[in-house]
Structure formats: structure tokens, C-alpha cells
Amino acid sequence: MGPKTQRVYETIRSWIESGRYGPGDKLPSERTLSAELEIGRTALRQALARLVNEHFIKAHDRSSYRVLVGDRAPTPTERDPWKIHGSRSVYENRWVHLDLVDVEPPGVQRFEHHVVRLFRVAVTAVIDDQDRVLMLWRYRFVPQQWGWELPGGIVDAGEDAATTAARETEEETGWRPGPVEHVVSYQPMIGMVDSPHEIFVARGAEKVGEPTDAEEAGDVAWVPLDHIPRLMSEGKLMGSGTLVALLHILADRARGAR
């Protein structure tokens, strides 16, 4: 999610949390929001999709949304955050930075905390009209195992995460996805690692050639969604981005079946 999309997400969320739009209220149309917030419709929909995923709003009709704040769990009162007195770099290269951060938790003596800083990544789950997901069978030397992964990669400086999601899918699989929709942002290891993840979903893809990223490419296959729970229980799905994206899809699928 780019800076402009993040700003719009925070603006609409603040409207809801401040009571400007209450439970059951209908938000302005996408056309109105796009003009008022000075953002394109595609980026606006990414912000709206995140609000839907976080249960602030619900899609009502085509391009129409209603507030669902009453259905959300209450947020506990925030307490004093840790104080950060400074930070020093221990090691860095083009892939990873290791810092020692001088922190002071409330009521605890200050100390230096190791923090690993990685670049933001985008991961994409592409679903076709046969309820199959586009995946890669890869070997990862760190856990020393083979497994299934979704395509994804590092968001380049100045690049929108949605652009990365589509580009990495095409480079790693040879399939060009349809429009990508942002569904969630998260951090996989919040205690010590700063590694922002952006998860996208696309419906449909066009075969445009062979994978062009030789280092990242693996065996490409369309895996039926019905096989995902078994692959998960067998430990054959690797990486938190893959798991988060597929769990989102399965949960969304289950809600649609009700």
C-alpha cells in the first residue's frame, strides 16, 4: 500500500472512529470519495478493501459500502509505549540491516534490543475460474525443504506494492494476473524483525511466457483450493505470506458458502 493509499485508508478510518459515519451508515460513492480524497479509483479500492478486511465496512452493492463498527471487537485502551533513546547500526547490506536499539519499556530498566530490518514485500494469490491458486514448488535452503509458495518479492523504492505484486507474479510464473486487490498488511515477527508484508489477491491470469526470474522460479502449478488444508497440515506451505493469503481466501470462501 503506497503513501497516498495509506493516507486515504487512515482518513476514512478516522471518519468512522470519530462517528462521522456510524454503524449502518452508507459511505459516499467511490466516485465521490475519489474526488474528495484526490485519489484514483484503483488505489481507493485498495484502501476500501483493507477496511473491509478489518471489519470497519462491508460491501453493500456495487461500489457501495456500509459501516460495520458495531460488529468489531472493542479496542483496549492504549498504554504508555516503550521509549526509544537511540539506535546504532551493527551490520547492513543490500538485503538486511541489523540495528541495536536503545529502548526503555515502562517500569523496566533501559537496554539494547536487536532489531533486524528487512524490505517491504508483496505476495499475490491468483485464483482462476476453477478455484485453483497459482503456486510455485521451491526448495528453500534455510529450512532445507521443498514446499509450495505464492509468488512475491521486494517492493522497489518508489514502486507501489500493487505494481510489485503483479510484476513479481509474471516474472516468477510466466502468468500475468488480473487486477490485484490488497487484502491485508502485517508484520510476521513483530518482536525482533521489521518486515512489512502486503498481501494481494487477483482473479484470473493470462499466460504470457516462461518465468524470467531464474533465481526465484520453481515448478509452476495451479493447485486446487480444496487441497490447501491438507498441504497446510502436512507442512508443505512455506512462508507466512503464503499462509496468510491462503487462510484469507479460505475464510472468504467459507463466508460466501454460508
Side-chain angles (χ1 to χ4, degrees), residues 12 37 45 50 55-56 58 70 75 104 118 122 150-151 171 179 185-186 190 230-231 234 239 243 246:
I12 299 175
L37 298 172
R45 284 170 180 163
R50 180 173 174 183
H55 304 292
F56 280 96
K58 180 179 182 180
T75 301
E104 183 180 358
L118 305 177
L150 296 175
E171 290 176 357
S185 301
Y186 77 101
I190 55 176
R230 175 177 57 81
L231 293 174
E234 293 173 352
L243 287 165
L246 293 175

Side-chain angles (χ1 to χ4, degrees), residues 175-207:
W175 289 82
R176 180 174 297 160
V180 296
E181 174 189 351
H182 182 270
V183 294
V184 68
S185 301
Y186 77 101
Q187 290 267 8
M189 297 178 64
I190 55 176
M192 187 175 287
V193 180
D194 178 20
S195 176
H197 279 51
E198 309 284 356
I199 305 299
F200 294 84
V201 172
R203 302 288 172 178
E206 173 190 5
K207 180 70 171 177

Side-chain angles (χ1 to χ4, degrees), residues 87-109:
S87 176
R88 60 189 177 94
S89 176
V90 177
Y91 172 81
E92 65 179 70
N93 63 19
R94 61 178 295 199
W95 302 110
V96 61
H97 294 182
L98 174 61
D99 294 343
L100 275 174
V101 183
D102 183 359
V103 298
E104 183 180 358
V108 177
Q109 187 174 357

Side-chain angles (χ1 to χ4, degrees), residues 77-236:
T77 302
E78 293 186 3
R79 302 180 182 180
D80 291 337
W82 289 20
K83 293 180 181 178
I84 299 176
H85 297 282
S87 176
R88 60 189 177 94
S89 176
V90 177
Y91 172 81
E92 65 179 70
N93 63 19
R94 61 178 295 199
W95 302 110
V96 61
H97 294 182
L98 174 61
D99 294 343
L100 275 174
V101 183
D102 183 359
V103 298
E104 183 180 358
V108 177
Q109 187 174 357
R110 60 194 285 186
F111 63 95
E112 285 193 312
H113 195 300
H114 286 83
V115 177
V116 178
R117 303 192 189 279
L118 305 177
F119 291 98
R120 188 162 59 123
V121 301
V123 177
T124 311
V126 183
I127 310 298
D128 70 3
D129 58 4
Q130 299 179 55
D131 261 2
R132 301 179 303 178
V133 60
L134 183 62
M135 302 196 75
L136 295 155
W137 178 254
R138 287 172 167 165
Y139 180 77
R140 292 296 188 180
F141 81 92
V142 175
Q144 299 183 38
Q145 73 176 76
W146 289 88
W148 291 103
E149 292 183 27
L150 296 175
I154 294 173
V155 178
D156 290 341
E159 184 177 48
D160 182 76
T163 302
T164 303
R167 173 176 56 76
E168 289 286 343
T169 299
E170 184 172 335
E171 290 176 357
E172 295 183 3
T173 69
W175 289 82
R176 180 174 297 160
V180 296
E181 174 189 351
H182 182 270
V183 294
V184 68
S185 301
Y186 77 101
Q187 290 267 8
M189 297 178 64
I190 55 176
M192 187 175 287
V193 180
D194 178 20
S195 176
H197 279 51
E198 309 284 356
I199 305 299
F200 294 84
V201 172
R203 302 288 172 178
E206 173 190 5
K207 180 70 171 177
V208 294
E210 296 303 315
T212 58
D213 190 337
E215 181 180 348
E216 293 292 341
D219 291 330
V220 181
W222 289 93
V223 178
L225 286 176
D226 287 342
H227 292 186
I228 296 302
R230 175 177 57 81
L231 293 174
M232 192 177 300
S233 67
E234 293 173 352
K236 291 181 180 177

Side-chain angles (χ1 to χ4, degrees), residues 48-65:
L48 293 170
R50 180 173 174 183
L51 290 163
V52 169
N53 186 65
E54 294 176 355
H55 304 292
F56 280 96
I57 61 175
K58 180 179 182 180
H60 180 60
D61 292 314
R62 182 176 176 83
S63 303
S64 177
Y65 300 85

